[in-house]
Amino acid sequence: MTDMKIAVLGAGGRMGRTLTRVLAETPGCAIAGGIEAKGSPYLGRDVGEVAGLEPVGIAITDDPLPVFAGVDGLLDFTTPASTLEFVALAAQARLVHVIGTTGLSAADEAEIEAAARHATIVEAGNMSMGVNLLAALTAQVAAALGPEFDIEILEMHHRHKRDAPSGTSLMLGRAAADARGVSLEDRAVWTRDGDVGPRRDGDIGFAALRGGDVVGEHRVIFAGPGERIELAHIATDRGIFARGAVKAALWARGRSPGLYSMQDVLGLGQQRHEA
């Protein structure tokens, strides 16, 4: 089989540059395009050079149409608005679309699921193998422990992260809620301020810290009478997310259109939807 031709969306950003470097070192992949927003200072520059590599002869552009016409897959860690634009085009071209964008609304997710009738989409709030194993463990522990164990999810990220809670925190919260047979939307407590009263049984609390250059830290706390269980994941290298995304793209190549997760890629769970 020939190398999978993959374009990096948001190629000038920190994650985009990391994705390009990982693509360059992964057998079976070929860097085939780079997209940036209109007005970006990276437009016209070589995508390899921007990532700190030798030039690859491909200029970063703000026009996705010619790029999408010549690739097999897309790696997308951009913004919700950009992802919705890209997912519609990917569906038309029937591409593999790996989405690591966070901050997506319920309406955004509905559009992605609709696009998955034609495109093969892998979407995850976190692409790392360790975090997805953490989600599986969170579900297992939440199901095993009774309601007397309160669940709190704590995360910390770098000072530039815009959305809170993180997509990973939401993934962990949903894993816990699903394991207990409840709706996360009904049980989540996103913030606490002032006299909020005692904690309600069954709530799942979230707390978000921001500062410095922290890549990502997540902790799921099960606090019960007389004891506490904590599950944690600490990321020290952004490359873990890029390597997971590239793994997802290769896994998705040749699969039927549908909406998949990293749990599917890693063999940890069932796919969310297949067209």
Side-chain angles (χ1 to χ4, degrees):
M1 183 180 294
T2 58
D3 286 351
M4 184 177 185
K5 294 180 288 185
I6 299 175
V8 177
L9 312 182
R14 284 179 301 174
M15 194 62 205
R17 297 193 299 269
T18 304
L19 287 164
T20 300
R21 290 193 293 270
V22 171
L23 277 176
E25 66 187 28
T26 303
C29 297
I31 303 168
I35 305 290
E36 260 297 342
K38 294 184 184 300
S40 168
Y42 297 105
L43 294 177
R45 293 182 56 185
D46 187 276
V47 65
E49 184 182 20
V50 166
L53 306 172
E54 292 295 319
V56 296
I58 297 172
I60 295 175
T61 178
D62 60 8
D63 185 0
L65 292 179
V67 175
F68 285 20
V71 302
D72 304 307
L74 312 168
L75 302 180
D76 181 0
F77 287 70
T78 58
T79 65
S82 296
T83 290
L84 291 187
E85 175 188 351
F86 294 139
V87 80
L89 296 173
Q92 293 174 25
R94 298 184 180 274
L95 299 176
V96 169
H97 190 176
V98 177
I99 299 175
T101 302
T102 58
L104 295 159
S105 68
D108 297 337
E109 294 288 1
E111 290 195 40
I112 290 171
E113 186 155 357
R117 291 196 291 266
H118 305 289
T120 305
I121 299 174
V122 179
E123 183 193 7
N126 192 303
M127 296 284 174
S128 97
M129 181 164 59
V131 161
N132 282 276
L133 287 169
L134 175 62
L137 290 171
T138 296
Q140 186 176 358
V141 175
L145 298 177
E148 68 273 16
F149 278 82
D150 300 320
I151 301 175
E152 294 285 318
I153 298 172
L154 174 67
E155 48 122 330
M156 184 168 184
H157 285 85
H158 55 87
R159 66 192 311 272
H160 300 290
K161 186 169 178 60
R162 299 172 65 93
D163 57 305
S166 68
T168 303
S169 287
L170 293 173
M171 180 174 71
L172 296 171
R174 200 166 303 282
D178 289 349
R180 287 192 166 179
V182 299
S183 164
L184 180 62
E185 287 69 23
D186 292 340
R187 306 310 306 180
V189 177
W190 305 117
T191 185
R192 297 184 178 100
D193 182 44
D195 185 0
V196 297
R199 193 185 200 283
R200 295 185 306 169
D201 291 342
D203 279 350
I204 299 175
F206 290 81
L209 309 179
R210 297 288 179 266
D213 60 357
V214 176
V215 174
E217 298 183 10
H218 294 85
R219 190 176 305 274
V220 184
I221 302 168
F222 297 87
E227 60 183 335
R228 186 171 72 247
I229 299 168
E230 297 186 6
L231 305 175
H233 179 270
I234 298 173
T236 58
D237 175 12
R238 201 174 301 277
I240 62 172
F241 311 126
R243 287 189 287 273
V246 172
K247 180 182 180 71
L250 291 169
W251 176 89
R253 188 182 192 185
R255 293 188 184 271
S256 300
L259 182 57
Y260 303 87
S261 74
M262 282 300 290
Q263 301 283 314
D264 302 307
V265 176
L266 299 173
L268 297 173
Q270 297 298 313
Q271 63 195 42
R272 290 162 56 185
H273 166 80
E274 184 173 345

